[in-house]
Amino acid sequence: ARLPSVYAVLPLLMACGFALALYFGLGPADGGFWFPWQRATIAGFATLMASAPTDFLGPYGVPWALTFLLKPNHALGLVLFPLVLRAFANIRGWRSRIVAGLLLHLLAWAFVLHMAYVALGLGVFLLLSLIRRDELRRDAVDTMAVLGLNAAIVGPYVIWLVRAPRVAVPAAAPAEIVTAGAGSPMLLEASLRNGLVFAAALWGARLAWRQGGRLGRLLAAQLAAAMTIWLGYAGFATVGWRPPGPLGEVLEQPDEIFFWLRFVAATCAGIGAWDLASRFASTFRRGLEPQTRATLLGLVCLPWSLPYWWNPAMMDRYFNLSRDPLPEELRSFATFLLRETPPSAVLAGDPWLARYAAALTGRRSLLSMGPPPPLDLERRHAVARMLLTGADLEAVRRNAAEYGITHLVVTPRLLTAWRLRQLREASFDARSDLQRVYASEGPTFRSIRVYRIHAPD
């Protein structure tokens, strides 16, 4: 019951948390050059310069709006990101290696993809350490220890997440999938669309690598890793290869790595912009105080921060969708559930409608599209199919009672997806274990039928 009120303030908390985590996470660490006003500038760039004014025209949307506003729970990964880098940069022994590994593991529970991006960044950091060689042994031991500990803790869950069967979703269910096809201008999306911020990011990454100590090298490696992943997406799109299973689903929707790349690039851009502002300040006889430098730099960049608050209807693709009323079929379906079924009712049938039943009425379902899948997913599929076919009425009654199922929701989309198109409305109406209690027609969902399950005669 408290979730809606908590979720309403999460965007503000995560945006402020990311800025504060960068400010404190980039503090003095192993030869770094991060000073207070410089850190404030970096935090400002990371939060306010990750989006470009033309992002609403692109296929992936505005990173700020679609991360902090739409998925603030994912933004928690951004909050933990600087803390992981700082803990790794300050490793002094096995105790601090364990702390860094546990923080990386915590990042996985916030958002597993962010953990994967950071882990690859640590791998790139180790590869780039071959150039320096003076700290190669230390970097190798620290990287292997942190990644090994994280893999030992999170690995089993990731393996299960990849191998777990998915809920069979109706093929005609509306879905917005961003697919990068061959010839897609993906490289421009991650680079030139961000304008001068991208150029400042490259300059800032160079400075971080050369002057930022171990923490700076870690940050530069994260940008290199993010760009590597993005190039990998472009390569897969060019050859037209799609891996099977969940990995293929991730490759079909590269929006998360796009957002991550933008935030990491904006962080590096803050370093580059501060250096350019410092060079400009040096042209004055007395120079400029750091606070003055930071203020002037913020004012110069103010126009680029307009996308975050200027026009929500344009910058947030879901803003208008949230204002439009739900289709009449859904509202009627939800009204029926609220008025005619008890709160303890459990639905079986269309897993796509199950999300609306949960969100609008709080009713539970045997199957739903939302992850993670239940451990007995295969059995639930079998029970749902048994309820639809009604081949063994005694087994139907027994399995329905086991899961507490009280109602069956039938749609043409579901029957088509599960290859049960031979079943017609009359076949359900004729069954002795079902009683039709609701029916609706509409242009969006075509047909929704709800049957109450009761013991056969």
Side-chain angles (χ1 to χ4, degrees):
R2 292 188 293 270
L3 181 60
S5 58
V6 172
Y7 203 84
V9 299
L10 277 183
L12 177 61
L13 293 178
M14 293 300 105
C16 295
F18 182 39
L20 292 174
L22 278 170
Y23 181 82
F24 291 104
L26 299 181
D30 200 355
F33 66 109
W34 320 104
F35 305 113
W37 282 103
Q38 184 180 18
R39 283 184 276 141
T41 300
I42 295 172
F45 262 74
T47 49
L48 297 178
M49 305 299 290
S51 300
T54 58
D55 277 340
F56 71 97
L57 298 174
Y60 306 106
V62 181
W64 200 96
L66 295 184
T67 299
F68 288 115
L69 294 183
L70 179 66
K71 302 177 181 177
N73 51 319
H74 288 182
L76 180 58
L78 293 173
V79 177
L80 294 172
F81 164 62
L83 306 181
V84 173
L85 295 190
R86 180 174 177 81
F88 190 97
N90 287 330
I91 288 178
R92 290 295 182 271
W94 280 103
R95 178 178 297 180
S96 50
R97 290 186 185 111
I98 293 174
V99 170
L102 291 177
L103 275 175
L104 184 59
H105 143 262
L106 185 62
L107 178 60
W109 290 113
F111 189 28
V112 69
L113 286 181
H114 285 177
M115 179 276 294
Y117 302 154
V118 173
L120 181 61
L122 295 180
V124 172
F125 167 76
L126 179 56
L127 290 177
L128 294 177
S129 295
L130 295 172
I131 302 174
R132 299 175 57 90
R133 292 190 177 276
D134 54 336
E135 297 186 15
L136 178 58
R137 183 179 181 278
R138 177 193 176 192
D139 293 343
V141 173
D142 292 348
T143 302
M144 293 297 101
V146 170
L147 292 182
L149 177 61
N150 177 69
I153 300 176
V154 183
Y157 170 72
V158 173
I159 293 174
W160 171 79
L161 193 63
V162 170
R163 298 185 60 183
R166 274 6 187 207
V167 174
V169 179
E176 185 175 277
I177 298 179
V178 179
T179 302
S184 174
M186 292 186 66
L187 297 182
L188 297 180
E189 289 290 340
S191 55
L192 296 184
R193 182 182 284 278
N194 216 14
L196 294 176
V197 175
F198 178 71
L202 296 180
W203 181 247
R206 178 179 180 273
L207 292 174
W209 177 261
R210 299 184 62 181
Q211 306 173 12
R214 199 182 199 204
L215 184 58
R217 296 197 303 275
L218 283 167
L219 186 57
Q222 292 295 326
L223 179 60
M227 284 299 299
T228 300
I229 299 173
W230 189 257
L231 290 173
Y233 273 93
F236 287 133
T238 300
V239 300
W241 181 67
R242 180 190 187 278
L247 182 57
E249 297 173 11
V250 173
L251 290 179
E252 277 190 343
Q253 303 186 55
D255 51 346
E256 294 296 348
I257 181 58
F258 173 77
F259 301 151
W260 175 264
L261 176 57
R262 282 296 193 86
F263 283 109
V264 176
T267 303
C268 293
I271 300 173
W274 180 267
D275 177 74
L276 296 176
S278 299
R279 294 172 184 267
F280 174 77
S282 64
T283 60
F284 292 88
R285 179 176 301 178
R286 296 184 180 181
L288 295 175
E289 294 295 326
Q291 58 268 33
T292 304
R293 200 180 312 167
T295 302
L296 291 177
L297 186 58
L299 291 175
V300 169
C301 296
L302 183 62
W304 280 270
S305 70
L306 288 177
Y308 320 112
W309 54 269
W310 170 51
N311 188 348
M314 179 182 294
M315 309 315 289
D316 180 1
R317 67 173 64 169
Y318 296 100
F319 181 83
N320 290 327
L321 293 177
S322 65
R323 298 179 61 190
D324 294 338
L326 291 173
E328 176 59 32
E329 312 97 271
L330 274 184
R331 286 184 286 167
S332 175
F333 173 64
T335 300
F336 162 77
L337 291 179
L338 287 172
R339 292 179 178 176
E340 304 297 333
T341 65
S344 59
V346 178
L347 311 180
D350 194 323
W352 196 74
L353 277 178
R355 300 192 305 174
Y356 288 96
L360 300 175
T361 70
R363 300 306 187 260
R364 296 174 296 158
S365 297
L366 179 70
L367 293 170
S368 181
M369 280 180 56
L375 295 176
D376 61 341
L377 179 60
E378 293 183 2
R379 172 162 171 72
R380 288 174 181 254
H381 270 299
V383 170
R385 183 173 289 272
M386 183 182 297
L387 291 174
L388 289 169
T389 59
D392 185 341
L393 296 185
E394 178 59 29
V396 168
R397 183 195 63 79
R398 185 172 61 253
N399 286 284
E402 178 184 351
Y403 285 99
I405 301 169
T406 58
H407 293 77
L408 179 65
V409 181
V410 181
T411 63
R413 180 179 57 243
L414 174 66
L415 299 179
T416 299
W418 286 17
R419 300 180 181 178
L420 297 173
R421 284 177 290 183
Q422 73 277 9
L423 298 178
R424 294 291 185 266
E425 179 180 335
S427 62
F428 290 99
D429 292 340
R431 284 170 50 177
S432 60
D433 63 318
L434 299 178
Q435 177 187 359
R436 189 168 73 177
V437 292
Y438 175 80
S440 74
E441 301 286 346
T444 305
F445 297 92
R446 289 181 55 193
S447 172
I448 301 176
R449 300 286 185 270
V450 180
Y451 296 86
R452 179 183 294 114
I453 300 174
H454 55 82
D457 297 335

